[in-house]
Amino acid sequence: MADEDARPHPHIYLRSNGARQGYTAHQGGGDGGGGPPQRNRADHANALTQALTQVVQQGETILANREANVAAGTKGFYIEFTLPEAQADIVDKLENRRGKFPIELVNVRAADAGQVFATVFVPEKQKDYYLKKVAAYRDEDSVKEKIREDGTVEEVRKPKNQLLVASIETARLAVARSFYTDQPDLFPAPGQAAWWEIWLRKGTRPAFDTAALALELGVREHSLEFAEREVVIARSTPEQLGRVVAHTDSVAEIRLARDTPSFFMGMHGAEQRAWSADLAGRLVPCADDAPAVCLLDSGTTMGHALIAPYLNAADQQAFDAGWSVEDSSNQVHGGHGTQMSGTALYGDLMEVLDGNGPVEVRHRLESVKILPDHGANDPDLYGAITAQSIARAEIVAPNRPRAICLAITSFGDHWRGRPSSWSAKLDAMTFGRDEVQRFMAVAAGNIGGQIVAADYPTRNDTMPIENPAQAWNVLTVGAFTERTVITDPAFAGWSALGLAGDIMPRSRTSVSWHREWPLKPDVVFEGGNIGHDPATGNGDHVDDLALLTTYRITAERPFTTTGDTSAATALAARMGAQILAEKPALWPETVRGLIVHSAEWTPAMRANQGAIGKPALLRRYGFGVPSLARALGSLDHDVTIVAEEMLVPFKMKSGKAVTDELAVHALPWPRETLLALGEAQVQLRITLSYFIEPNPGERGLSRRHVYASHGLRFDLKHADEQLDVFLRRRTSEAGARPPARTAPDTGWTVGPQLRSRGSLHADIWEGMATELAARDAIIVYPTGGWWRENVAQGHVGEAVRYSLIASIRAAPGAELYAEVKAQIVPEVIIEA
């Protein structure tokens, strides 16, 4: 029942004009579209009849062989139907709630291949229900009378049950995996026990308990009850879950619970240390020159068994030579640095504690203490403190790739998104006038004080991102949550405040910023959740809803919990280090771009777009939740091209600065494959990531005093224009441009105007495969900045770097990768 092994495609590196390299990643699938598929009626009915007959026979065999001590509830079996994604809205028609033995739709799951899987429970008494539906579709017509304009009557015939049967692609007997709605690549291997959230059909808890007792499943006492579901936490192998499915009518959905933090937080110190020692014995060390997360925080506890293997003494430093490098101030900072250390190394410790195999961490930790044990730094000095602290780490290991993690923010009058001295310093350091560019993840900041349930999520939109997370070049990280189950009996009656897949109740946003400032946060990572006490209407910390991590005072215990945007930022920096561990030569601009490019909005986020609008969607959630698998190119159904390039944005001409170079990226799309797909819907995702040199200070709106040194934008060639016409649209020569296009460029998710904020631009285009086959070039072109407007500063003629990432998803089964590999062409740099 485990997932098939991931088969990452090899990465192909591109080189052009002596510039840096890019790579091509993996194959693609796509989205379906349209109404019920047009199928040959008899052939489709016969194919479905054959599939359903086999399902019924298998179901009868299972029922005949049920074990008496395990079996309970209504006799029946589950069927999993496959439908095109475009027909997902008809899944309710699979149900038949009437009568003594109703058929219930228990879950619907989306797949990457443009399909959905719908699982239903079929009582034994109704085993022939779908066979009868298909037979009626094949053999019978429904007849309606239609009045013509001349008053005569016309008979209109169509197959019975057409909407339902024509939409079904196939059917099979459901197995445990058919109920799994969590992250696909986390499904346990055969024989591996795990903690599960088991979502039961209403009223079937006794049947489940009977099977659980017989199969010796570990079931926690606390459960959650909803209108149609009851959620229990149980420990079992996938095979045991399969037996529960085969012997009862109880299961509707399963998700991984993976031991909630309260399980460990309820242990005394000796028990925690036993778990910690077990994990420490399974750790696989990495080389000293491996990429690192450089943590700027309150220090860390070097002696912690889970931190010491990945932190050298030379890499544990402090901004002030007189400070202790240890995380020694529990009262002031609460052991924050040690908490971030565990998260930056392992993510949520829950994911590695419950196992018995080796745990490989391919990146190291660097800790530079920037917070004093007593009192506080002068806020005006934080830019200098940050710069000097990063320099300390770089002096010790100058050639080590690193992802810098800054989960510390300050208050300030930055509600408009304007730069501060601290944020501008971060922009300067990432830009790298010292010839060292840097990847930095910075927390968006948390809403402090009491959380009132009635204010969620409105208050998130009114509480602006804190300083220095408004920096243009950093990866600004907000928090979302998938943690909604409370199992601790001490919190019986409580519920999770944040909705699954939605913003974490303490995460700040840029919804209230002035529109000209960047869209922040860039992405969101898991930040835990807040418990809602119905007695007070307020929110509070609940261990079950947090992330498990390392604790500062190991003599007391090795574990504690963490959350909010701090934990989310540590996860983001960890992902940056994981990308660098796989591809250490990537530019920081590319690492940031890959994280954003891999992000997707959850269904809960997308559901809010209609209410809050597209700009607020981006300013609340950024571009969504990143995926390491997508960023590294190890998922099927995508083709991704990454190019790292340089261009000169401005030159002097006739005494003034004008646009100099444009970069043309000819896209090696699999043209023949796309043309063969015809009108099938495909998706193109483009991300442009670069760093600007800042020029802070409020000196009016004069163009000479803009903040960014330059801007870059991208444009996609239209399907109906030649490349030379496309290029002339973006040149600055007088009279060179062709007439402006009158038809709008539709199909974009974000749109050119909204995506132009800041120094990171991402968008998604959706359209027909035949159109994408002809949209085979991207221009990257410069826009104005203080380099051009203030020529006295002497930066006209300087080259700038950028990373361009483009990926396509096409129809399932399309062989994209081989065709792309065969026709890769170099990019061309031209003068405007």
Side-chain angles (χ1 to χ4, degrees):
M1 293 187 179
D3 283 336
E4 293 86 13
D5 292 337
R7 185 175 55 85
H9 300 294
H11 294 88
I12 303 172
Y13 283 77
L14 313 176
R15 187 182 297 276
S16 65
N17 296 332
R20 285 295 301 270
Q21 299 173 340
Y23 65 91
T24 297
H26 46 277
Q27 300 188 59
D31 299 323
Q38 297 300 312
R39 309 178 189 273
N40 179 287
R41 179 177 176 181
D43 289 347
H44 182 56
N46 291 336
L48 279 183
T49 298
Q50 181 178 358
L52 286 167
T53 299
Q54 183 178 7
V55 169
V56 172
Q57 291 172 347
Q58 293 172 336
E60 289 175 333
T61 300
I62 288 176
L63 293 176
N65 292 284
R66 295 211 303 180
E67 301 166 51
N69 65 325
V70 182
T74 301
K75 292 183 68 175
F77 50 87
Y78 294 86
I79 301 178
E80 180 183 89
F81 291 96
T82 304
L83 301 88
E85 186 178 25
Q87 275 66 61
D89 58 347
I90 65 95
V91 293
D92 287 342
K93 294 185 177 296
L94 291 168
E95 286 192 320
N96 179 21
R97 295 267 188 161
R98 295 172 296 180
K100 186 177 179 181
F101 299 99
I103 294 175
E104 179 184 348
L105 175 70
V106 295
N107 71 70
V108 179
R109 299 173 293 120
D112 283 339
Q115 298 173 316
V116 295
F117 301 122
T119 302
V120 299
F121 176 75
V122 181
E124 184 182 36
K125 298 288 187 180
Q126 295 269 43
K127 63 183 180 181
D128 296 325
Y129 175 82
Y130 295 104
L131 285 169
K132 294 176 181 178
K133 287 281 187 181
V134 174
Y137 164 82
R138 181 190 59 209
D139 302 327
E140 301 176 37
D141 289 337
S142 60
V143 181
K144 291 186 178 180
E145 293 185 349
K146 177 182 178 181
I147 308 298
R148 298 191 181 98
E149 291 183 359
D150 61 2
T152 59
V153 177
E154 175 187 10
E155 284 188 352
V156 179
R157 293 177 174 270
K158 68 175 183 179
K160 282 190 174 182
N161 309 316
Q162 181 181 24
L163 182 60
L164 172 63
V165 178
S167 297
I168 298 173
E169 292 185 349
T170 190
R172 69 173 187 138
L173 190 73
V175 294
R177 189 104 192 200
S178 305
F179 301 83
Y180 181 71
T181 59
D182 209 337
Q183 189 172 334
D185 58 356
L186 294 181
F187 193 86
Q192 180 181 346
W195 284 99
W196 306 85
E197 292 179 18
I198 303 181
W199 295 59
L200 306 176
R201 300 171 63 215
K202 193 68 172 180
T204 63
R205 176 67 186 270
F208 172 81
D209 287 343
T210 297
L213 180 63
L215 297 172
E216 299 182 340
L217 305 188
V219 181
R220 292 186 177 156
E221 294 180 0
H222 191 59
S223 66
L224 291 176
E225 292 192 23
F226 301 102
E228 294 187 331
R229 295 289 182 261
E230 182 174 359
V231 183
V232 298
I233 304 294
R235 183 175 174 83
S236 76
T237 64
E239 292 85 351
Q240 289 173 312
L241 277 182
R243 293 175 69 187
V244 174
V245 168
H247 286 79
T248 75
D249 62 339
S250 58
V251 181
E253 180 182 347
I254 57 176
R255 305 178 189 177
L256 279 177
R258 287 167 281 166
D259 279 338
T260 60
S262 65
F263 173 76
F264 289 94
M265 295 304 291
M267 297 177 179
H268 55 68
E271 289 178 301
Q272 285 195 10
R273 282 190 289 275
W275 281 85
S276 176
D278 174 76
L279 175 57
R282 296 186 283 118
L283 296 177
V284 178
C286 62
D288 285 349
D289 61 352
V293 171
C294 179
L295 189 64
L296 309 179
D297 214 285
S298 64
T300 192
T301 301
M302 166 67 91
H304 199 294
L306 302 182
I307 295 174
Y310 302 103
L311 176 61
N312 292 330
D315 294 323
Q316 188 180 21
Q317 305 185 73
F319 161 70
D320 189 318
W323 294 353
S324 166
V325 297
E326 290 285 311
D327 189 7
S328 51
S329 176
N330 196 41
Q331 286 73 33
V332 178
H333 307 299
H336 191 265
T338 304
Q339 294 172 22
M340 295 301 97
S341 298
T343 307
L345 285 172
Y346 304 101
D348 186 356
L349 273 176
M350 302 293 304
E351 298 179 4
V352 292
L353 281 172
D354 189 12
N356 52 23
V359 174
E360 183 179 13
V361 180
R362 298 179 60 194
H363 62 278
R364 304 193 61 78
L365 184 68
E366 298 172 338
S367 173
V368 185
K369 188 172 185 173
I370 67 172
L371 296 174
D373 292 335
H374 306 285
N377 295 314
D378 186 336
D380 292 337
L381 295 178
Y382 266 114
I385 291 172
T386 304
Q388 293 178 38
S389 298
I390 292 172
R392 290 183 182 277
E394 292 175 340
I395 289 171
V396 171
N399 298 318
R400 177 188 289 159
R402 56 179 49 84
I404 300 167
C405 178
L406 182 63
I408 297 169
T409 60
S410 71
F411 298 109
D413 180 23
H414 306 292
W415 63 272
R416 296 177 296 170
R418 64 176 179 175
S420 67
S421 61
W422 191 5
S423 73
K425 185 61 178 179
L426 299 190
D427 280 334
M429 294 179 63
T430 47
F431 174 76
R433 177 63 66 179
D434 58 359
E435 298 186 357
V436 179
Q437 291 77 23
R438 300 167 177 90
F439 169 77
M440 186 177 296
V442 179
N446 304 316
I447 301 172
Q450 184 65 63
I451 298 295
V452 179
D455 294 340
Y456 173 82
T458 305
R459 194 179 181 205
N460 296 85
D461 293 341
T462 61
M463 299 299 285
I465 283 172
E466 292 184 315
N467 189 35
Q470 70 270 37
W472 288 39
N473 297 340
V474 305
L475 182 77
T476 301
V477 185
F480 90 115
T481 187
E482 289 283 5
R483 309 200 171 204
T484 59
V485 176
I486 300 174
T487 63
D488 189 342
F491 293 93
W494 286 48
S495 61
L497 176 54
L499 303 177
D502 211 330
I503 191 168
M504 194 271 176
R506 291 195 183 275
S507 187
R508 290 175 175 263
T509 71
S510 68
V511 174
S512 61
W513 280 8
H514 285 185
R515 63 186 300 272
E516 68 268 18
W517 296 115
L519 303 170
K520 295 287 184 173
D522 300 304
V523 290
V524 291
F525 279 80
E526 178 66 67
N529 206 339
I530 296 292
H532 171 217
D533 180 0
T536 65
N538 296 330
D540 205 347
H541 174 85
V542 176
D543 282 337
D544 275 328
L545 304 177
L547 289 77
L548 193 72
T549 189
T550 45
Y551 182 57
R552 182 179 72 86
I553 308 175
T554 56
E556 293 183 10
R557 63 181 192 274
F559 304 141
T560 189
T561 54
T562 187
D564 302 345
T565 61
S566 293
T569 305
L571 292 174
R574 176 175 181 254
M575 181 172 174
Q578 289 173 310
I579 292 173
L580 288 170
E582 185 74 20
K583 307 179 191 300
L586 288 180
W587 289 352
E589 298 95 323
T590 306
V591 175
R592 180 179 71 151
L594 284 172
I595 292 174
V596 171
H597 193 78
S598 74
E600 292 186 348
W601 293 299
T602 67
M605 296 172 188
R606 289 183 177 275
N608 288 328
Q609 180 176 339
I612 65 177
K614 191 180 298 180
L617 178 79
L618 288 159
R619 291 192 178 277
R620 181 190 285 184
Y621 308 113
F623 289 93
V625 184
S627 161
L628 180 64
R630 283 192 294 268
L632 292 179
S634 58
L635 290 181
D636 292 332
H637 313 307
D638 284 349
V639 169
T640 301
I641 296 173
V642 178
E644 295 177 324
E645 296 292 349
M646 300 180 71
L647 61 78
V648 178
F650 310 121
K651 66 181 178 181
M652 295 300 295
K653 183 174 183 179
S654 302
K656 66 177 182 178
V658 297
T659 298
D660 188 0
E661 291 181 341
L662 312 174
V664 183
H665 296 262
L667 302 172
W669 291 154
R671 180 177 175 81
E672 297 303 321
T673 303
L674 290 173
L675 290 176
L677 294 175
E679 296 184 357
Q681 292 292 296
V682 294
Q683 184 185 96
L684 168 65
R685 183 182 292 258
I686 300 174
T687 301
L688 176 64
S689 176
Y690 59 97
F691 294 160
I692 57 95
E693 185 173 27
N695 183 27
E698 297 207 20
R699 291 162 288 176
L701 298 178
S702 168
R703 296 176 65 193
R704 294 190 304 110
H705 299 304
V706 293
Y707 178 74
S709 55
H710 65 286
L712 296 179
R713 304 289 185 267
F714 67 80
D715 195 6
L716 180 66
K717 183 178 84 68
H718 291 263
D720 60 352
E721 69 181 350
Q722 298 299 313
L723 182 59
D724 62 332
V725 176
F726 176 52
L727 296 179
R728 285 190 288 123
R729 289 192 191 283
R730 289 300 178 188
T731 61
S732 59
E733 299 295 333
R737 295 178 181 173
R741 294 183 62 88
T742 56
D745 187 8
T746 59
W748 292 100
T749 298
V750 179
Q753 184 176 3
L754 184 57
R755 73 182 181 224
S756 65
R757 312 282 190 266
S759 64
L760 188 147
H761 315 297
D763 210 341
I764 303 167
W765 177 86
E766 294 187 72
M768 294 187 299
T770 51
E771 184 177 354
L772 180 60
R775 305 199 75 169
D776 55 1
I778 297 174
I779 287 180
V780 175
Y781 62 94
T783 61
W786 65 267
W787 279 9
R788 187 177 72 178
E789 304 301 332
N790 194 345
V791 297
Q793 295 295 321
H795 297 299
V796 174
E798 289 190 16
V800 298
R801 311 194 324 176
Y802 68 88
S803 175
L804 179 70
I805 309 169
S807 63
I808 58 174
R809 289 185 179 180
E815 294 295 332
L816 302 175
Y817 179 75
E819 191 175 341
V820 171
K821 179 180 178 181
Q823 60 173 318
I824 288 177
V825 294
E827 293 79 13
V828 181
I829 303 292
I830 66 171
E831 290 191 0

